[in-house]
Amino acid sequence: MDSEEARRKYEFQRALEELEKYEGRGTELISVYIPPKRPISDVISYLRDEYGTSANIKSKTTRKNVMSAIESIMSRLKYFKMPPPNGLVVFVGHVIKRGDQTEMVSHILEPPEPVQSFIYKCDSKFYLEPLKDMLGQKDIYGLLVIDRKEATIGFLEGTRVEVIKHLESMVPSKHHQGGQSSRRFERLIELAVHEFFKKVGDKANEVFLPVENLKGILVGGPGGTKDSFLKGDYLHHELKKKIIEVFDVGYTDEYGLQELVNKAATTLKNMEIFRERELLQKFFKEIKKPDGGLALYGEKEVRGALERGAVEILLISEGLRKYRITWKCPQCGYEIKETIKGEIPEKECPKCGSPMDIVDKKDLIEEYYDIAEEFGTKVELISDESEEGKIFANAFGGIAAVLRYRH
Ligand code: ZN
């Protein structure tokens, strides 16, 4: 996953976390999913109908809140003629604040994957499942299971296994009792196997080669057939390079693909963790040097180096939930910026003593992404799934940099 994509995914993940916290009193929270090709005028007239229907809601407050939410959606949509390439998702409603108060919130998102179908939902929570599914969509892996009787080709995308092609062989059974000499019969089998392997190889090349973001290929089957297949010249050399691991599985049909994925789960998980560990070990190795080598950690130090353009790779713990807050004095204009985790404290202006306003609140990782983008710094989000990732989060505060040059 490149930096850009990782960032989009992170921002999206955070937006979902925020939306998930909201709760409405009745069924007052409205979620609207608009597919890319749906004209906004269609959506507006749908909303107008809903607006009319909602006049019949019994509870006075719910009625008022739902109607004002629909009005708000319509007024936000009027700036569009057609939705953007992936469609639009709108969340509007009165959410419960502290005490007995409610507050109207309104979010409009361009999703990372196309919206599949039009959805309009009123509930006490926002409807987020389709967006969560999009986030779940991950790298694509090719799947191939084979024995002498049959082969199945498919894809693993996220957690979804898709069968693309099932092929059956003409290889005669070994228990053939005909009059032919056993040598001649062996030869026939060999030929038939070769033909079958060729057919499977051609099909696999046809299916896998055009997939640009194919992350790797998993191969499985019972016994040694899969190994003979791979040893031969059947699979394109570019695809052979992408084979991650070969597994023994009992089936070579659709169930075989699923079995293959189950067996490979640990390998796939480890690949991602392995990459993170390599990055962190690079950092640990540098930081152990007496002069700190080409590494830095700690928010302030890293920010400084980042703003000088000295950072090659920025390492950040994915679970870092911190904000960069800006306070401004309404009287004298004095500004303070601080990084905060949890509750945001009130501040008094150190110059004139007036209570200060919070004028900006930004997710810290997003802020780092912004600075990194300016200087072509690569950003790597690190999970805490490995031992190294945990050490990184706890002992190094989850923020570090591998430098381009000695600071
Ligand atoms: Zn002041």
Side-chain angles (χ1 to χ4, degrees):
M1 197 180 342
D2 63 29
S3 244
E4 180 96 4
E5 204 185 329
R7 172 181 193 161
R8 261 203 355 242
K9 205 173 148 187
Y10 174 76
E11 288 179 350
F12 205 69
Q13 172 77 48
R14 293 290 289 129
L16 286 191
E17 279 176 31
E18 292 302 312
L19 287 165
E20 192 138 50
K21 286 186 203 151
Y22 293 135
E23 217 162 311
R25 226 185 250 128
T27 50
E28 298 181 3
L29 303 191
I30 301 178
S31 313
V32 187
Y33 285 72
I34 307 169
K37 295 216 165 93
R38 178 73 59 106
I40 294 297
S41 55
D42 279 13
V43 180
I44 300 273
S45 62
Y46 183 95
L47 291 170
R48 228 175 254 133
D49 283 353
E50 284 297 330
Y51 187 83
T53 313
S54 60
N56 303 321
I57 297 173
K58 282 210 179 85
S59 149
K60 198 179 150 199
T61 356
T62 306
R63 180 172 65 234
K64 201 177 111 243
N65 287 345
V66 167
M67 290 177 89
S68 70
I70 296 176
E71 274 172 22
S72 157
I73 298 171
M74 291 197 286
S75 75
R76 291 202 71 166
L77 287 179
K78 71 174 177 221
Y79 299 104
F80 295 90
K81 213 171 190 160
M82 289 297 290
N86 285 339
L88 274 178
V89 189
V90 190
F91 301 103
V92 178
H94 287 77
V95 301
I96 302 168
K97 297 296 275 186
R98 234 171 284 165
D100 202 28
Q101 304 207 305
T102 62
E103 182 192 49
M104 168 104 118
V105 295
S106 162
H107 294 265
I108 188 157
L109 297 178
E110 286 184 34
E113 308 277 335
V115 172
Q116 297 298 331
S117 52
F118 180 80
I119 298 170
Y120 173 92
K121 251 190 163 77
C122 266
D123 209 338
S124 58
K125 301 279 279 175
F126 286 126
Y127 180 59
L128 302 171
E129 272 60 32
L131 290 182
K132 285 185 191 160
D133 287 348
M134 288 178 194
L135 256 189
Q137 274 177 13
K138 287 194 191 123
D139 309 305
I140 300 183
Y141 295 91
L143 306 173
L144 171 66
V145 285
I146 184 168
D147 66 6
R148 281 167 167 238
K149 294 192 311 293
E150 59 177 2
T152 308
I153 295 167
F155 286 115
L156 169 67
E157 195 172 355
T159 53
R160 198 169 60 96
V161 173
E162 189 188 357
V163 179
I164 300 294
K165 184 81 190 168
H166 180 251
L167 302 123
E168 280 180 18
S169 82
M170 310 283 277
V171 180
S173 153
K174 273 188 174 172
H175 310 291
H176 181 84
Q177 294 290 319
Q180 309 158 74
S181 77
S182 68
R183 230 183 112 211
R184 183 171 146 67
F185 185 59
E186 282 299 321
R187 175 83 191 121
L188 269 177
I189 288 184
E190 257 171 54
L191 259 172
V193 167
H194 170 75
E195 280 309 311
F196 181 56
F197 281 3
K198 202 170 161 322
K199 203 166 89 181
V200 173
D202 288 349
K203 195 72 206 173
N205 295 340
E206 185 192 314
V207 170
F208 293 147
L209 275 175
V211 183
E212 264 172 50
N213 56 339
L214 191 75
K215 192 91 189 268
I217 298 172
L218 301 165
V219 180
T225 308
K226 56 187 180 300
D227 304 310
S228 334
F229 171 76
L230 292 176
K231 249 180 252 155
D233 245 349
Y234 306 104
L235 212 51
H236 192 279
H237 62 274
E238 286 299 326
L239 294 179
K240 277 193 181 176
K241 278 192 267 178
K242 289 202 169 176
I243 293 173
I244 298 168
E245 208 173 325
V246 179
F247 295 91
D248 272 315
V249 297
Y251 298 92
T252 42
D253 54 7
E254 192 177 341
Y255 298 105
L257 292 189
Q258 192 56 57
E259 200 187 346
L260 179 64
V261 167
N262 294 344
K263 286 212 165 173
T266 318
T267 303
L268 297 182
K269 188 89 213 135
N270 287 343
M271 274 173 58
E272 188 52 35
I273 293 175
F274 180 74
R275 208 181 65 85
E276 285 184 11
R277 285 172 63 179
E278 274 191 320
L279 279 166
L280 287 176
Q281 274 159 6
K282 190 171 170 184
F283 162 70
F284 292 152
K285 201 180 120 208
E286 288 297 318
I287 206 82
K288 259 193 245 155
K289 293 180 183 167
D291 61 355
L294 285 173
L296 271 182
Y297 68 96
E299 207 222 312
K300 209 172 146 216
E301 289 74 11
V302 169
R303 183 188 297 275
L306 203 55
E307 284 170 345
R308 287 198 306 276
V311 179
E312 187 191 346
I313 307 168
L314 178 64
L315 304 168
I316 312 179
S317 263
E318 219 168 54
L320 205 71
R321 290 291 178 261
K322 288 186 175 178
Y323 290 97
R324 189 75 177 159
I325 308 292
T326 311
W327 290 265
K328 192 171 180 180
C329 173
Q331 297 299 322
C332 71
Y334 188 81
E335 264 192 28
I336 303 176
K337 276 181 196 275
E338 269 177 34
T339 302
I340 301 290
K341 184 162 179 119
E343 200 88 344
I344 303 168
E346 311 236 321
K347 284 204 183 284
E348 263 184 16
C349 175
K351 274 175 85 183
C352 72
S354 315
M356 300 181 85
D357 297 332
I358 296 164
V359 292
D360 194 34
K361 179 189 178 195
K362 198 167 182 188
D363 187 279
L364 190 65
I365 295 182
E366 300 242 18
E367 204 213 2
Y368 277 138
Y369 262 121
D370 280 344
I371 311 173
E373 231 159 59
E374 262 180 71
F375 295 101
T377 298
K378 203 166 183 308
V379 182
E380 296 281 359
L381 294 185
I382 308 289
S383 74
D384 55 5
E385 279 163 19
S386 70
E387 204 48 47
E388 284 86 348
K390 286 194 187 84
I391 294 171
F392 177 63
N394 297 326
F396 294 94
I399 302 173
V402 175
L403 300 171
R404 291 187 170 120
Y405 49 83
R406 181 80 57 85
H407 46 293

